[in-house]
């Protein structure tokens, strides 16, 4: 039986007494909340305990009995989660972890977007806010599908990019016709990769003297620079952590080129402090968009002991670059850091003779 809520008529806007935040909430949801948690579980054909577990994993607070905060979209989403398990794409054991990963990444995007919309709705009508006799909320109703379409496009492009990286195994006649299946969610996705951390030196001291707008501009500049260089070098940003970016590459040489380019470009950017980078190579566990393993920890520790404007790598990483004429490697004295009583850093520099290989 279909219990879909017809919602408000198309193009309808709430009365002037409705607070902008509530109006925007209903606009985003497509309907005013009408269902309790018990209603949603019943209509989706899912047990109440499981429905609550999925809701919490998405990052939302607990809902009291009788509280009407759900719409038909919540019912359909819960059915979709159950359908993924029935299809075998997600295992019952990994359901919560998969949902938590989706909720974590999308919540960060949603927080930024809703701040933008609320600020835009609160501004006086003028160029770039509303057209003709449209209210800001009516204009927002037109822009929301465009924003959703853009997100879907970017998501699909990233899916396509990762699909191209899936290794293939030789077929019976030596042809590359059978794709090697990637690890299923919840399984160990172990692979050898080069990982790195780059941070801004003296960030804490600098932020004490900056106003909010200035700090925002500096962070934007850092994220733009690192994002561009990593993308150009065919790496991937795993995540940004305050003044630090965590990235991964399939090969040590690509990571080395990225790190050296980041150092050079930051030095030429007057609005940024100098940066330092730690790199390591080894087996890492890929899990729901994040990476874990000894190599990750080693790269983080190397970053912490690197001097401004330098790149430090571990011995495994330097071994991957052995014999490469475009790099200069210099072993340094071992250091004792958390988790590594004798971590041996290797200083990475571009070769003095000739131009350093450009990041491609």
């Amino acid at each position: 039986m279909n219990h879909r809520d017809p919602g408000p008529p198309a193009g309808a806007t709430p009365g002037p007494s409705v607070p902008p935040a509530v109006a925007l909430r209903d606009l985003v949801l497509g309907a005013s909340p009408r269902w309790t948690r018990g209603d949603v579980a019943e209509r989706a054909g899912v047990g109440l305990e499981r429905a609550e577990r999925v809701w919490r994993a998405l990052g939302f607070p607990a809902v009291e009995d009788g509280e009407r905060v759900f719409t038909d979209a919540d019912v359909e989403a819960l059915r979709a989660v159950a359908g993924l398990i029935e299809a075998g794409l997600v295992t019952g054991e990994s359901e919560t972890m998969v949902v938590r990963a989706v909720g974590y990444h999308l919540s960060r995007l949603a927080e930024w977007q809703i701040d933008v919309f609320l600020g835009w709705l609160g501004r006086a009508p003028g160029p770039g806010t509303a057209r003709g006799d449209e209210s800001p909320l009516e204009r927002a109703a037109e822009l929301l599908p465009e924003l959703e379409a853009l997100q879907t496009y970017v998501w699909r492009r990233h899916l396509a990019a990762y699909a191209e990286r899936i290794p293939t195994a030789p077929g019976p006649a030596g042809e590359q016709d059978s794709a090697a299946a990637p690890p299923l969610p919840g399984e160990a996705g172990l692979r050898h990769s080069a990982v790195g951390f780059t941070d801004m030196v003296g960030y804490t001291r600098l932020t004490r003297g900056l106003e909010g707008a200035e700090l925002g501009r500096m962070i934007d500049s850092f994220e733009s620079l690192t994002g561009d260089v990593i993308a150009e070098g065919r790496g991937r940003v795993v995540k940004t952590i305050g003044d630090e970016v965590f990235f991964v590459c399939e090969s040590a040489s690509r990571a080395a080129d990225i790190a050296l380019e980041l150092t050079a470009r930051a030095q030429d950017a007057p609005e940024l402090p100098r940066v330092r980078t730690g790199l390591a190579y080894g087996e890492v566990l890929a899990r729901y968009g994040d990476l874990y393993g000894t190599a990750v920890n080693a790269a983080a520790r190397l970053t912490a002991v690197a001097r401004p404007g330098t790149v430090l790598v571990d011995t495994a990483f330097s071994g991957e670059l052995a014999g490469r004429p475009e790099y200069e490697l210099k072993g340094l004295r071992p250091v004792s850091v958390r988790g590594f009583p004798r971590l041996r850093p290797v200083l990475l520099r571009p070769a003095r003779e000739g131009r350093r290989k450009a990041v491609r």
Side-chain angles (χ1 to χ4, degrees):
M1 179 176 179
N2 193 339
H3 299 273
R4 181 169 294 280
D5 180 5
T13 55
S17 61
V18 178
V22 174
L24 186 56
R25 179 205 64 185
D26 290 352
L27 172 65
V28 171
L29 291 178
S32 298
R34 62 180 296 188
W35 305 123
T36 66
R37 60 181 185 177
D39 294 333
V40 171
E42 180 183 354
R43 284 165 171 75
V46 173
L48 180 58
E49 182 178 348
R50 180 181 173 192
E52 292 174 340
R53 186 170 62 249
V54 169
W55 180 253
R56 289 194 302 270
L58 285 170
F60 300 119
V63 176
E64 298 296 330
D65 288 333
E67 193 175 357
R68 298 185 179 276
V69 300
F70 300 105
T71 70
D72 285 314
D74 296 293
V75 176
E76 297 300 330
L78 197 55
R79 285 176 181 160
V81 172
L84 292 177
I85 294 178
E86 291 175 4
L89 183 63
V90 176
T91 66
E93 293 76 12
S94 66
E95 175 188 58
T96 301
M97 291 179 286
V98 170
V99 171
R100 183 178 293 115
V102 173
Y104 169 75
H105 291 289
L106 290 183
S107 68
R108 299 179 67 186
L109 181 63
E111 181 180 13
W112 166 76
Q113 290 173 340
I114 208 68
D115 284 343
V116 170
F117 264 115
L118 285 175
W120 183 64
L121 289 172
R123 291 198 295 269
T129 56
R131 298 183 305 190
D133 57 355
E134 285 184 328
S135 71
L137 193 61
E138 288 173 327
R139 181 69 179 125
E142 296 177 5
L143 291 176
L144 189 62
E146 297 178 16
L147 182 61
E148 187 174 6
L150 174 62
Q151 290 178 184
T152 301
Y153 159 76
V154 175
W155 171 65
R156 286 186 175 274
R157 290 299 305 182
H158 277 295
L159 283 179
Y162 282 110
E164 291 177 346
R165 300 178 191 174
I166 296 176
T168 56
E175 298 178 355
Q176 303 288 322
D177 59 358
S178 58
L184 291 174
E187 294 184 352
L190 293 172
R191 66 191 68 170
H192 281 82
S193 301
V195 294
F197 289 87
T198 297
D199 73 7
M200 291 186 283
V201 179
Y203 172 81
T204 302
R205 175 180 53 80
L206 285 170
T207 56
R208 294 194 187 115
L210 293 179
E211 296 181 354
E214 293 176 305
L215 177 59
R217 284 192 292 270
M218 185 176 72
I219 293 174
D220 286 344
S221 180
F222 175 72
E223 291 184 350
S224 295
L225 184 149
T226 55
D228 288 349
V229 172
I230 292 168
E232 290 167 10
R234 299 188 181 181
R236 176 175 73 86
V237 174
V238 179
K239 58 186 173 183
T240 55
I241 314 165
D243 63 330
E244 186 173 61
V245 61
F246 174 25
F247 63 95
V248 61
C249 293
E250 295 179 357
S251 69
S253 60
R254 289 192 189 280
D257 290 341
I258 287 172
L260 293 171
E261 187 70 14
L262 285 172
T263 302
R265 291 200 196 179
Q267 193 165 349
D268 292 338
E271 74 278 9
L272 289 177
R274 300 180 78 183
V275 301
R276 57 186 179 179
T277 300
L279 300 170
Y281 185 85
E283 197 173 58
V284 297
L285 171 65
R287 189 173 178 83
Y288 306 111
D290 210 341
L291 299 176
Y292 305 87
T294 301
V296 175
N297 297 334
R301 303 295 181 266
L302 287 167
T303 305
V305 300
R307 292 184 177 181
T310 65
V311 178
L312 295 182
V313 307
D314 70 350
T315 53
F317 192 102
S318 65
E320 291 292 309
L321 299 182
R324 300 288 295 263
E326 62 267 37
Y327 309 112
E328 183 179 298
L329 299 163
K330 179 183 177 181
L332 304 179
R333 297 174 60 180
V335 294
S336 178
V337 294
R338 182 163 58 92
F340 299 88
R342 283 183 62 83
L343 181 61
R344 186 178 293 276
V346 178
L347 180 64
L348 170 67
R349 292 183 291 204
R352 295 180 183 178
E353 61 277 4
R355 276 180 56 187
R356 176 166 52 84
K357 184 176 66 176
V359 175
R360 291 192 295 268

